[in-house]
């Protein structure tokens, strides 16, 4: 095949539909790269202070709060099993009927300071708030929409209260924003006619205005996390997604933007047609973690995963018995697992319509907070350690400190540690505990003893390591 033919086939493939976001991108060799106007704005990770803060935060909370919290998954006496924030769609509720829920929006128990305290106690360093989900209801008094908190009995600027309260506790605020908006007459799923094109142009202008409004009303926002960007009307307008990234970065220097916003000249999403990440971090890991073998090249990019506590409920659903609900320990393990692979984890909360959290979520926040208080050193500012994973749990790393996070204590009471060539473990100490024995068993391998008293919870051992080139010659290689 000659090169022109190959390039034509590639372009046909690229223009034929949406790219699956989570596919491991194929990075084209530099001399075969396709020229792009709306591709990645840079290669590799951002290394500035704001991005470093984003990365070091590691643990965040998601807040999905909107009108959907009022019916909580039930419409006209029928309980729907699907995600509560999609109820309008499951129950085929007309937009005006759905938006009439605004008359009932009056979260009397809402206390922004109490929410911020709960997040602080949980140990989260940032909170992602749904400023507007697919339904179109805005938690801030947007002057561009009739469907905002200002037009409800509550009246006050909920988002403003939250931003202030979280910031007062030293917690960063990130804005979730759904581009797809079911309340807006100009939104189109695809563009088929001239009329659609004109409507979508008006819709883009409306969205720009809302984003500028958010960025100027709440200048301490650290991140915009876009969602509802999967329709052809958006991914076939890659120029607009690049424009939004640029506009927000000009309005708020240092702000971070997720990959989900972005599409390139050929409608390729998240990663551009040359395989480069668009936006500042990959945000395709939803309710799952990257595959360590297939995807772990993601360490070339920053990434953030987000998870629900039941199987797939983001907004408040009154009946959590309809699917498996993760235990606090399982949630904790996913947080540690994400950090061990060099990513951030965001745990979702779906507050009730009255402004309180359900008891299970309060318990979860407490459980995680208690653990983070004791062992958070192995999470914040930590990264992928680059050591072979062992069955007892996960490694994380900060500079020369390597942390063993032990979830499965072995009966032998010996924890195997395999180190890369030229690395020596000189000391092992339980975080908030005593030193434990560490014995070199064979070349590049150690046994670290369990603490004498079982901590009764996943615990952390900090390894002090040294570079030691002498170990390379200490053993004779077997000649097998
Ligand atoms: O449809 C939404 C869903 O309701 C929720 O907001 C999640 C969060 O990542 N995002 C979308 C599905 O990808």
């Amino acid at each position: 095949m000659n090169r022109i033919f190959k390039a034509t086939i590639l372009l046909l493939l690229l223009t034929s539909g949406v790219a699956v976001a989570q596919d491991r991108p194929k990075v084209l060799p530099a001399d075969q790269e396709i020229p792009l106007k709306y591709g990645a704005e840079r290669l590799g990770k951002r290394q500035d202070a704001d991005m470093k803060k984003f990365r070091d935060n590691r643990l965040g909370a998601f807040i999905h709060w909107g009108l959907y919290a009022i019916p909580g998954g039930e419409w006209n006496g029928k309980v729907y099993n699907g995600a509560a924030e999609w109820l309008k769609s499951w129950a085929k509720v007309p937009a005006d009927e759905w938006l009439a829920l605004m008359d009932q929006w009056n979260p009397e128990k809402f206390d922004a300071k109490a929410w911020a305290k709960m997040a602080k106690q949980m140990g989260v360093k940032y909170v992602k708030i749904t400023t507007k989900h697919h339904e179109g209801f805005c938690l801030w008094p947007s002057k561009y929409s009739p469907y905002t908190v200002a037009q409800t009995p509550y009246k006050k600027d909920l988002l403003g209260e939250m931003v202030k309260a979280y910031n007062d506790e030293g917690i960063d605020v990130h804005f979730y924003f759904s581009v797809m908006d079911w309340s807006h007459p100009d939104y189109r799923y695809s563009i088929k006619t001239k009329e659609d094109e004109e409507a979508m142009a008006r819709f883009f202008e409306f969205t720009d205005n809302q984003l500028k409004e958010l960025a100027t009303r709440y200048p301490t926002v650290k991140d915009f996390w876009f969602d509802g960007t999967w329709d052809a009307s958006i991914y076939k307008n890659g120029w607009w997604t690049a424009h939004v990234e640029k506009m927000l970065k000009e309005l708020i220097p240092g702000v971070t933007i997720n990959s989900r916003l972005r599409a390139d000249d050929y409608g390729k999403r998240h990663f551009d047609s040359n395989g480069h990440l668009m936006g500042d971090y990959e945000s395709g890991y939803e309710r799952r973690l990257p595959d360590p073998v297939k995807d772990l090249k993601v360490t070339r990019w920053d990434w953030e995963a987000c998870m629900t506590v039941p199987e797939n409920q983001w907004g408040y659903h009154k009946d959590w018995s309809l699917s498996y609900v993760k235990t606090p320990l399982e949630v904790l393990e996913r947080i540690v697992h994400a950090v061990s692979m060099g990513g951030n984890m965001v745990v979702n909360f779906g507050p009730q319509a009255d402004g309180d959290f359900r008891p299970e979520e309060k318990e979860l926040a407490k459980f995680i907070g208690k653990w983070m208080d004791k062992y958070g050193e192995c999470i914040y500012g930590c990264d992928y350690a680059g050591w072979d994973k062992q069955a007892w749990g996960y490694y994380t790393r900060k500079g020369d400190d390597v942390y063993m996070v032990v979830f499965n204590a072995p009966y032998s009471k010996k924890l195997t540690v395999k180190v890369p060539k030229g690395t020596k473990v000189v000391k092992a100490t339980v975080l908030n505990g005593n030193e434990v024995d560490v014995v070199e068993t064979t070349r590049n391998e150690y046994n670290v003893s369990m603490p004498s008293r079982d901590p009764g919870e996943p615990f952390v051992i900090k390894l002090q390591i040294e570079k030691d080139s002498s170990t390379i010659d200490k053993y004779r290689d077997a000649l097998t």
Side-chain angles (χ1 to χ4, degrees), residues 72-266:
E74 179 177 348
W75 200 260
N76 286 338
K78 183 170 173 199
V79 175
Y80 291 78
N81 201 352
E85 71 283 1
W86 278 78
L87 180 64
K88 176 187 178 302
S89 172
W90 312 139
K92 301 190 172 43
V93 187
D96 53 344
E97 214 181 303
W98 183 264
L99 292 161
L101 287 168
M102 281 169 50
D103 298 341
Q104 297 174 53
W105 183 265
N106 197 6
E108 280 158 353
K109 293 190 184 157
F110 173 67
D111 175 352
K113 285 189 183 147
W115 281 31
K117 283 218 157 53
M118 177 172 153
K120 179 87 176 174
Q121 275 167 11
M122 179 179 166
V124 302
K125 298 287 184 192
Y126 63 106
V127 173
K128 288 181 131 63
I129 307 170
T130 50
T131 58
K132 176 177 91 164
H133 203 264
H134 312 331
E135 63 182 4
F137 176 60
C138 306
L139 290 189
W140 82 103
S142 174
K143 63 179 188 209
Y144 301 101
S145 165
Y147 311 116
T148 84
V149 69
Q151 284 84 34
T152 67
Y154 186 77
K155 289 198 174 65
K156 290 173 283 178
D157 176 5
L158 263 180
L159 186 62
E161 289 182 59
M162 287 194 241
V163 172
K164 176 160 184 347
Y166 286 121
N167 284 171
D168 285 351
E169 289 288 357
I171 295 173
D172 289 345
V173 171
H174 294 191
F175 284 167
Y176 166 108
F177 185 93
S178 171
V179 177
M180 176 172 77
D181 183 333
W182 295 333
S183 75
H184 203 289
D186 284 332
Y187 185 72
R188 295 290 182 277
Y189 295 90
S190 60
I191 314 279
K192 296 199 178 85
T193 63
K194 183 97 187 92
E195 192 278 324
D196 288 339
E197 204 179 305
E198 286 164 4
M200 205 59 197
R202 288 192 298 272
F203 183 79
F204 283 146
E205 193 184 334
F206 153 76
T207 307
D208 281 0
N209 283 334
Q210 284 209 317
L211 290 170
K212 280 188 230 160
E213 190 180 44
L214 282 170
T216 44
R217 277 184 73 99
Y218 313 102
T220 61
V221 62
K222 298 288 178 220
D223 173 273
F224 276 81
W225 197 95
F226 288 91
D227 200 6
T229 46
W230 47 73
D231 287 327
S233 55
I234 298 165
Y235 71 74
K236 288 192 175 171
N237 277 303
W239 68 270
W240 178 77
T241 70
H243 145 81
V244 167
E245 181 176 357
K246 189 161 172 280
M247 174 180 89
L248 290 174
K249 285 182 172 172
E250 277 165 13
L251 285 170
I252 306 184
V255 77
T256 51
I257 310 270
N258 68 333
S259 60
R260 201 181 287 207
L261 164 70
R262 295 285 276 108
D264 76 358
D265 315 38
Y266 299 104

Side-chain angles (χ1 to χ4, degrees), residues 399-411:
D400 273 347
D401 290 329
V402 174
Y403 299 93
M404 302 167 60
V405 192
V406 182
F407 275 85
N408 314 304
Y411 286 114

